Amino acid sequence: MKPPILQWSIPDDVVLNILGRLPVKSVIRFRCVSKSWDSSITTPYFISTHLNHNNNNNKDSHDNGYVIHVPSHPSFWWSPNNRPVCTVAFDCTFDRISEVKIPFDFYSKPAQLVGSCNGLLCLADFGSVNVNVIYLWNPSIIKFKKLPPTCLGKLENVTLGFAYHSENNDYKVTKELEVYTLSSDSWRRVGVELTTDVTFGYGKFILPVPLVCGALHWLARIREDGRSELIMAFDVNSERFRKLALPDCLIKANNCERFLASFKGKLTFITFGCNEQPGFPSQYSVWVMKEYGVVDSWNKLCVVSFQRIACFFGFTEYGSLLVFYCNELVEGPELKFVLVDTETLHEKLDIQHPSYVATFMESLILLDGANVASY
């Protein structure tokens, strides 16, 4: 007589708890186990749970922070028959992990990295500031989405912003007076009353708009005189604009190039100008707002001088400054990208390609989205 077969099963909630802690590639493979697993994995609840586990696990680990590089100069793009390449690298070491071809085309090349949130990248047409072609892309699950046309059409001198809406677990793309929401897949007008008296987009266009304390930030000027400078902050949750003042010592530095960035979660104001020190023709001054919204809390973090003309491209997650040099040679200009430690001011690494910089992590965002394309 054969012994009875013992049948047992793991409760569904335990299964989902285990799946929620696995890498993205493993989770995607487990969708093939059964219709029930596939249905559960593609729910917004599971996608959010998986994201929260990743965020908690990566919070104290430097090795799990990634950087996305999108080549930003036409000479670094492939031939017209091939698509451009996006390089994924470790944040601390910049060791190359993989190269992923961008799966969609733009009317003019190359692409601009608008921002990166929870593994979702926002890319836009780089060829003109009058941006109409915008994509959301999750390379971890090989899916992307082309955004519908904006309400206002083309506007001059407009920079885009991309952010996560924490209260509604949603994602938003901002374009001055209008905002796109991923959950509704549509644009709508916002902040008309407050923003009609200012000119947005003043500053360095190629850098992603910094997201600090739940708000996106732009340098702006009062339209009446065209000189009075301030910061416009757009709260992603409330969808309201707020004006932030700059200290007089920064406003008066009119001979400097200036732009905003995020440094270790703090709003940062950077000026670039000539240096009177012999042998160092250019320098960057980095100011940090220690207490958000308090004008008196602006503090000069450091001054970085360079022996060659250097172009600022952003900060890594852990505070290193990314710049590139351009040396004129007989054969043509040589570009050298380096990381500069803001504490020791030592150059740390030579990077081979011009890049936009943003933190990146694997996620399942867009897995359950409507009008999403796979490739």
Side-chain angles (χ1 to χ4, degrees), residues 139-264:
S140 302
I141 59 173
I142 57 174
K143 290 182 178 289
F144 68 89
K145 178 185 183 70
K146 184 178 181 180
L147 272 57
T150 64
C151 302
L152 302 177
K154 289 187 176 182
L155 294 175
E156 294 184 0
N157 298 328
V158 170
T159 52
L160 296 169
F162 179 55
Y164 174 60
H165 183 181
S166 59
E167 291 185 1
N168 290 348
N169 188 29
D170 208 346
Y171 296 84
K172 296 182 178 181
V173 179
T174 60
K175 184 184 178 185
E176 191 166 316
L177 301 179
E178 53 186 334
V179 61
Y180 166 87
T181 304
L182 178 59
S183 60
S184 65
D185 192 26
S186 62
W187 294 85
R188 64 182 183 279
R189 298 284 298 273
V190 294
V192 177
E193 296 81 5
L194 182 60
T195 57
T196 52
D197 63 336
V198 300
T199 299
F200 277 76
Y202 170 67
K204 199 175 183 73
F205 292 128
I206 64 173
L207 298 176
V209 174
L211 176 66
V212 178
C213 293
L216 294 163
H217 299 80
W218 292 264
L219 278 176
R221 281 180 169 174
I222 302 297
R223 285 199 174 124
E224 291 182 357
D225 56 22
R227 294 187 301 274
S228 299
E229 195 173 30
L230 72 158
I231 297 173
M232 293 298 297
F234 177 74
D235 189 288
V236 177
N237 290 327
S238 67
E239 294 190 350
R240 294 184 177 180
F241 281 94
R242 175 187 179 188
K243 296 178 180 179
L244 300 178
L246 288 168
D248 290 340
C249 59
L250 296 182
I251 296 176
K252 292 178 180 178
N254 292 324
N255 61 331
C256 296
E257 181 182 359
R258 53 241 273 108
F259 37 93
L260 297 175
S262 174
F263 177 81
K264 294 184 177 181

Side-chain angles (χ1 to χ4, degrees), residues 81-361:
N81 296 326
N82 294 324
R83 297 185 186 276
V85 170
C86 175
T87 305
V88 184
F90 276 118
D91 188 275
C92 292
T93 65
F94 273 71
D95 292 332
R96 190 171 67 181
I97 299 174
S98 61
E99 289 185 343
V100 184
K101 289 186 178 180
I102 297 176
F104 36 81
D105 293 318
F106 290 92
Y107 295 115
S108 59
K109 297 178 180 179
Q112 176 188 5
L113 178 63
V114 178
S116 171
C117 292
N118 296 335
L120 192 61
L121 305 178
C122 181
L123 299 177
D125 190 330
F126 183 81
S128 171
V129 293
N130 301 325
V131 179
N132 268 349
V133 184
I134 307 169
Y135 287 92
L136 297 180
W137 175 35
N138 187 338
S140 302
I141 59 173
I142 57 174
K143 290 182 178 289
F144 68 89
K145 178 185 183 70
K146 184 178 181 180
L147 272 57
T150 64
C151 302
L152 302 177
K154 289 187 176 182
L155 294 175
E156 294 184 0
N157 298 328
V158 170
T159 52
L160 296 169
F162 179 55
Y164 174 60
H165 183 181
S166 59
E167 291 185 1
N168 290 348
N169 188 29
D170 208 346
Y171 296 84
K172 296 182 178 181
V173 179
T174 60
K175 184 184 178 185
E176 191 166 316
L177 301 179
E178 53 186 334
V179 61
Y180 166 87
T181 304
L182 178 59
S183 60
S184 65
D185 192 26
S186 62
W187 294 85
R188 64 182 183 279
R189 298 284 298 273
V190 294
V192 177
E193 296 81 5
L194 182 60
T195 57
T196 52
D197 63 336
V198 300
T199 299
F200 277 76
Y202 170 67
K204 199 175 183 73
F205 292 128
I206 64 173
L207 298 176
V209 174
L211 176 66
V212 178
C213 293
L216 294 163
H217 299 80
W218 292 264
L219 278 176
R221 281 180 169 174
I222 302 297
R223 285 199 174 124
E224 291 182 357
D225 56 22
R227 294 187 301 274
S228 299
E229 195 173 30
L230 72 158
I231 297 173
M232 293 298 297
F234 177 74
D235 189 288
V236 177
N237 290 327
S238 67
E239 294 190 350
R240 294 184 177 180
F241 281 94
R242 175 187 179 188
K243 296 178 180 179
L244 300 178
L246 288 168
D248 290 340
C249 59
L250 296 182
I251 296 176
K252 292 178 180 178
N254 292 324
N255 61 331
C256 296
E257 181 182 359
R258 53 241 273 108
F259 37 93
L260 297 175
S262 174
F263 177 81
K264 294 184 177 181
K266 301 290 186 180
L267 186 61
T268 307
F269 184 85
I270 302 171
T271 62
F272 169 75
C274 297
N275 189 357
E276 297 180 356
Q277 183 179 354
F280 294 87
S282 61
Q283 71 175 22
Y284 282 93
S285 298
V286 181
W287 296 73
V288 174
M289 180 180 271
K290 288 190 172 182
E291 186 176 350
Y292 182 74
V294 179
V295 65
D296 293 335
S297 69
W298 282 106
N299 180 65
K300 182 180 285 189
L301 177 69
C302 63
V303 177
V304 185
S305 299
F306 296 94
Q307 293 178 323
R308 291 155 287 180
I309 299 299
C311 182
F312 170 77
F313 259 73
F315 291 103
T316 66
E317 183 179 0
Y318 308 108
S320 295
L321 183 72
L322 177 64
V323 299
F324 78 82
Y325 301 127
C326 182
N327 294 330
E328 293 295 335
L329 303 177
V330 176
E331 300 83 3
E334 176 194 28
L335 297 179
K336 179 183 179 182
F337 285 73
V338 297
L339 285 176
V340 179
D341 190 308
T342 52
E343 294 183 359
T344 65
L345 303 183
H346 292 158
E347 297 180 3
K348 299 173 63 175
L349 190 65
D350 182 7
I351 304 168
Q352 299 301 316
H353 299 290
S355 309
Y356 293 102
V357 179
T359 56
F360 180 74
M361 61 178 295

